[in-house]
Amino acid sequence: AQRDAASAAREAADEMQAAAERLSAARQGQIDRWKGELSQQLDRSIQDVMQMAREQQNVERAARAGAQANELRAQQSAIQQGVEQAAQRLEQAGKSSSHLSQRAQRAMADAKQQVQDATRALQRPGAASGQPGGTPGGERSAADAMKEATDALQRAASALVRDRERV
């Protein structure tokens, strides 16, 4: 009877160990899935932010070359919408993961603000009209705001890349 009890105790211990291992494997699988999802979100955000930085730089160049304000406003508005969408996606990712750093979130918020500032700068009369009546100071101001937005977007992309490497 003692042997049966010892055998039953070993079996129970083995079953408990196996259950603990299955639970640990399931937990690790869930963590891996979360990391994979975050990695995908970060990859997409990095690509989006880098693309918007390139587009912002192109709009800045066009402003410095004297492009029409209406044309620039449409392009700038599209960039602003893209940045806002990327910022929303990152905000959601930040709520579900501690792997998205405060630094990256601040960099994205700064980029969003800089893009908004560039959009506002284009709204000023003569900001980038390229016409004789336009004010050269206004053109430079809008172009400078766009340059600052490009730089902020590049900093945000760099911060996201650093976070991506830590996932």
Side-chain angles (χ1 to χ4, degrees):
Q2 215 174 11
R3 206 179 296 177
D4 290 341
S7 177
R10 273 194 303 277
E11 282 182 35
D14 290 346
E15 287 177 25
M16 287 175 50
Q17 179 64 33
E21 288 172 5
R22 286 192 302 273
L23 182 61
S24 178
R27 187 177 309 122
Q28 188 59 48
Q30 182 64 42
I31 290 169
D32 291 346
R33 281 190 294 281
W34 285 336
K35 285 183 175 183
E37 289 171 13
L38 179 62
S39 294
Q40 289 176 343
Q41 290 172 335
L42 285 172
D43 288 344
R44 179 178 177 195
S45 294
I46 291 164
Q47 289 175 345
D48 289 350
V49 171
M50 289 172 58
Q51 177 63 34
M52 285 178 270
R54 285 189 295 272
E55 290 175 18
Q56 185 68 76
Q57 189 173 43
N58 290 338
V59 174
E60 175 206 348
R61 287 181 184 146
R64 291 190 192 280
Q68 296 294 317
N70 289 340
E71 183 181 316
L72 296 177
R73 285 183 191 120
Q75 293 172 346
Q76 186 64 37
S77 178
I79 293 167
Q80 184 174 344
Q81 287 176 358
V83 168
E84 288 172 0
Q85 290 172 354
Q88 284 178 337
R89 278 194 309 274
L90 283 174
E91 185 178 325
Q92 291 299 322
K95 289 178 182 177
S96 65
S97 173
S98 61
H99 290 284
L100 186 60
S101 69
Q102 290 295 318
R103 180 182 198 165
Q105 292 178 43
R106 281 192 306 272
M108 192 63 201
D110 180 53
K112 182 179 171 183
Q113 183 61 52
Q114 293 295 332
V115 170
Q116 288 172 345
D117 290 350
T119 301
R120 276 194 294 278
L122 269 177
Q123 302 305 319
R124 291 193 294 266
S129 67
Q131 297 174 356
T135 58
E139 285 181 37
R140 258 183 242 107
S141 173
D144 290 345
M146 291 174 196
K147 171 74 171 117
E148 291 172 18
T150 299
D151 293 346
L153 286 164
Q154 290 171 341
R155 284 190 302 271
S158 292
L160 292 170
V161 167
R162 282 191 294 275
D163 281 5
R164 173 62 175 90
E165 289 170 350
R166 290 184 311 137
V167 172

